[in-house]
Amino acid sequence: MQKSSLAPISRQSLVETIVNRLETAMMDGSLAPGEKLSEMALARTLGVSRGPLREAIRQLEGRKLIERIPNVGARVAAFSREALYELLIIREALEGIACRIAAKEMTDEDLARLEELLLADGCKEGVRKGTDYFLGSNDRDIHSHIVRCCRNERLVAMLCDDLYDLLRVYRGKISAISGRATAAYEEHAKIVDALKARDPDSAEAAMREHIRNSRRHAMDHFDTKLAPLAPSGRKADAQ
């Protein structure tokens, strides 16, 4: 047996595993927006002690995926209808600009990587069946790749750091609404074609159209699919 296989599991590795599990649960709906988190219940469910669980929760707080509410405690972060609408308006404008710049800045290697990501997404069962389009980590996400390829540090910081994590959860949930996964993939393909053609106008237009369609879908289904839970555990009233 190789010596490396006997290496002890570090606390940091355990914390990272818990972070990944909690983030996945937020993506697939096991933990709903606004849901209160019980450390005792989560520790029991995950089979871990509360020490590394608390550290994982602190990390997710830092990424704005978990928030602490006075007299309530820690809960999964959530947007109201108005907040989600406003953020998607901002995202449309900023990602449209990033896509325009990327059309001129992307190298052949960048474009090859973009095609790889699109192909990998097309092989996902949820995309093929049109049931969901759950997103990979930052380095496996088409949107993140395009933004980073615009090579504008301020745009990258705003879209890949400040907004990325929480919006990624909502993007995954939006894609799981009936019919959206297939349409989103086709829109991604249109964006990729425009970038390969190095056409800034078409690239920006395709990205803006894609995010507008996602926003429209989110608003149409917010109350039934995306509304946060109230502290009681029931869906909060639409704002």
Side-chain angles (χ1 to χ4, degrees):
M1 186 177 293
Q2 293 182 354
K3 185 177 180 180
S4 60
S5 65
L6 296 175
I9 299 173
S10 70
R11 176 185 173 89
Q12 187 57 37
S13 295
L14 179 57
V15 170
E16 289 174 0
T17 298
I18 297 170
V19 167
N20 290 336
R21 291 282 186 87
L22 293 176
E23 189 173 358
T24 298
M26 294 175 199
M27 288 285 293
D28 67 19
S30 300
L31 291 174
E35 182 170 346
K36 185 177 179 180
L37 300 178
S38 164
E39 286 187 7
M40 184 179 298
L42 282 173
R44 184 170 57 249
T45 298
L46 295 172
V48 299
S49 64
R50 294 173 72 173
L53 174 62
R54 285 172 181 155
E55 175 58 29
I57 289 174
R58 278 195 291 270
Q59 288 189 20
L60 290 169
E61 279 187 76
R63 292 166 55 193
K64 299 181 175 61
L65 288 173
I66 289 176
E67 56 190 3
R68 290 195 180 273
I69 307 298
N71 302 318
V72 174
R75 71 170 193 172
V76 179
F79 289 136
S80 66
R81 174 193 288 272
E82 287 77 8
L84 181 59
Y85 179 83
E86 289 171 357
L87 281 172
L88 290 174
I89 288 286
I90 293 169
R91 181 174 169 235
E92 177 191 335
L94 294 182
E95 283 207 45
I97 293 169
C99 203
R100 166 177 283 277
I101 298 171
K104 295 179 284 187
E105 293 291 333
M106 293 183 87
T107 65
D108 290 342
E109 291 77 13
D110 292 333
L111 289 169
R113 175 59 176 162
L114 184 62
E115 288 190 282
E116 288 177 6
L117 293 174
L118 182 67
L119 180 61
D121 284 352
C123 293
K124 293 177 180 177
E125 183 177 3
V127 174
R128 288 189 286 105
K129 292 183 176 180
T131 56
D132 62 70
Y133 195 160
F134 288 129
L135 306 156
S137 58
N138 213 319
D139 62 345
R140 298 289 304 170
D141 180 1
I142 282 178
H143 285 266
S144 176
H145 180 67
I146 292 171
V147 171
R148 292 183 186 283
C149 286
C150 83
R151 295 179 172 82
N152 181 303
E153 292 184 5
R154 291 186 182 276
L155 271 177
V156 171
M158 286 187 284
L159 288 166
C160 294
D161 296 332
D162 295 346
L163 294 178
Y164 180 78
D165 285 318
L166 190 50
L167 277 177
R168 187 165 71 97
V169 171
Y170 277 85
R171 285 165 56 201
K173 291 180 180 296
I174 292 168
S175 77
I177 298 171
S178 178
R180 182 58 196 155
T182 301
Y185 181 77
E186 292 171 351
E187 290 161 10
H188 279 175
K190 186 176 179 181
I191 293 166
V192 171
D193 286 344
L195 289 168
K196 287 168 59 180
R198 301 190 183 279
D199 183 338
D201 290 339
S202 295
E204 179 177 3
M207 180 63 80
R208 283 179 172 270
E209 179 184 28
H210 168 58
I211 297 175
R212 274 198 306 273
N213 289 340
S214 293
R215 184 177 70 243
R216 188 177 303 115
H217 214 63
M219 294 300 101
D220 287 346
H221 297 275
F222 185 88
D223 291 341
T224 57
K225 300 291 186 180
L226 301 173
L229 295 175
S232 64
R234 296 176 297 182
K235 289 286 186 181
D237 293 334
Q239 299 296 312

